[in-house]
Amino acid sequence: MRLRHKPYAMEMIETYPQFVIADPEAYKGSWGKLFGNDNPIHIEVGTGRGRFIYEMAKAHPHINYIGIEKFSSVVVDALQKLIDEEVPNLKLINKDAKDLTVFFESEEIDRVYLNFSDPWPKARHEKRRLTYKAFLRNYEQVLVKDGEIHFKTDNQGLFEYSLMSLAEYGMLLHYISLDLHNSDFEGNIMTEYEEKFSSKGNRIYRVEARFRNEPVL
């Protein structure tokens, strides 16, 4: 992904600490207190410009959402949405997702969304893919016992890799779609990339995966 540098990004982020949480590690185990309720918490890893998680939060006010995006020049677009119209059940984190277990306690999260993640197609970059086993291990640690990962992409290679990675980790796969927009799935909220790619005729792939309650050997 080619990023356009925005020199004002960090200043803008620091101006709105009520929306972009500067010290997420301070809320580990107590995110419910920050939201002021005990509602389920869903996170999006790699939230990008924020359309998906912003619309999800508006559509589901009884679920708390946290968008995690490491690039400040991207997360400011998500922040701008909250400035324009605040959504109380949505917070943002401008940090690297590899630190999930620093931000969240075990079994504190109910669902993880992965939308149009960087495919990192070269074999030597496999460990950077958000469905690589090391990331899955982190998701498993912060998710509740029946927590799920919902994954969408337009990249067939990444989708095939992810199905294999999820299955090899011992996860249960369901609702696999090889053409989401021509399926009977209801309630889909598109990301900015999804709208762009699908308008070009790209097929959208989607899967839901759940960790097994019994330990993986």
Side-chain angles (χ1 to χ4, degrees):
M1 179 175 63
R2 190 172 183 177
L3 300 178
R4 181 168 63 87
H5 178 62
K6 298 175 182 177
Y8 60 84
M10 287 310 303
E11 181 179 357
M12 182 176 175
I13 289 169
E14 292 169 358
T15 302
Y16 293 94
Q18 71 273 37
F19 298 143
V20 184
I21 308 304
D23 54 344
E25 60 278 359
Y27 294 96
K28 181 176 182 178
S30 61
W31 284 95
K33 293 181 181 179
L34 180 64
F35 284 105
N37 57 61
D38 294 322
N39 293 339
I41 299 174
H42 293 185
I43 65 174
E44 183 184 18
V45 177
T47 203
R49 298 172 62 189
R51 173 178 172 180
F52 173 83
I53 200 163
Y54 180 76
E55 294 298 334
M56 286 290 284
K58 290 176 65 176
H60 305 284
H62 299 300
I63 296 175
N64 297 324
Y65 290 87
I66 302 173
I68 304 168
E69 173 57 55
K70 68 179 179 179
F71 297 111
S72 58
S73 291
V74 179
V75 78
V76 289
D77 291 332
L79 171 57
Q80 187 61 58
K81 292 176 175 62
L82 285 173
I83 295 172
D84 293 341
E85 182 183 353
E86 181 176 357
V87 180
N89 59 321
L90 173 58
K91 303 296 181 184
L92 302 171
I93 296 175
N94 182 207
K95 301 281 186 179
D96 197 313
K98 66 181 178 60
D99 295 324
L100 276 186
T101 57
V102 176
F103 308 148
F104 304 110
E105 191 59 79
S106 296
E107 301 186 38
E108 191 169 17
I109 304 302
D110 292 82
R111 184 176 297 170
V112 173
Y113 294 101
L114 304 174
N115 293 316
F116 298 85
S117 311
D118 193 324
W120 294 106
K122 295 181 180 180
R124 68 175 185 270
H125 292 151
E126 178 188 8
K127 293 181 179 181
R128 299 183 184 182
R129 299 171 193 161
L130 293 182
T131 49
Y132 179 66
K133 60 184 178 181
F135 282 102
L136 297 181
R137 194 174 300 118
N138 285 344
Y139 306 147
E140 182 179 28
Q141 184 170 333
V142 302
L143 278 167
V144 297
K145 292 301 182 185
D146 292 320
E148 296 182 335
I149 296 174
H150 291 192
F151 174 71
K152 285 196 293 185
T153 182
D154 74 313
N155 188 292
Q156 183 179 349
L158 178 62
F159 190 67
E160 292 172 352
Y161 168 85
S162 298
L163 290 181
M164 185 175 296
S165 180
L166 296 167
E168 288 180 347
Y169 196 83
M171 299 188 71
L172 299 173
L173 310 183
H174 53 114
Y175 297 111
I176 299 174
S177 176
L178 303 181
D179 192 358
L180 177 62
H181 291 186
N182 288 310
S183 72
D184 58 0
F185 182 80
E186 298 181 356
N188 181 55
I189 292 179
M190 290 197 289
T191 73
E192 289 88 350
Y193 278 123
E194 184 174 355
E195 184 174 45
K196 175 183 177 181
F197 295 146
S198 62
S199 69
K200 294 180 178 181
N202 292 25
R203 186 180 294 184
I204 305 301
Y205 304 91
R206 184 179 184 277
V207 64
E208 298 179 10
R210 179 169 57 83
F211 290 101
R212 297 175 185 268
N213 287 330
E214 65 269 20
V216 179
L217 300 179

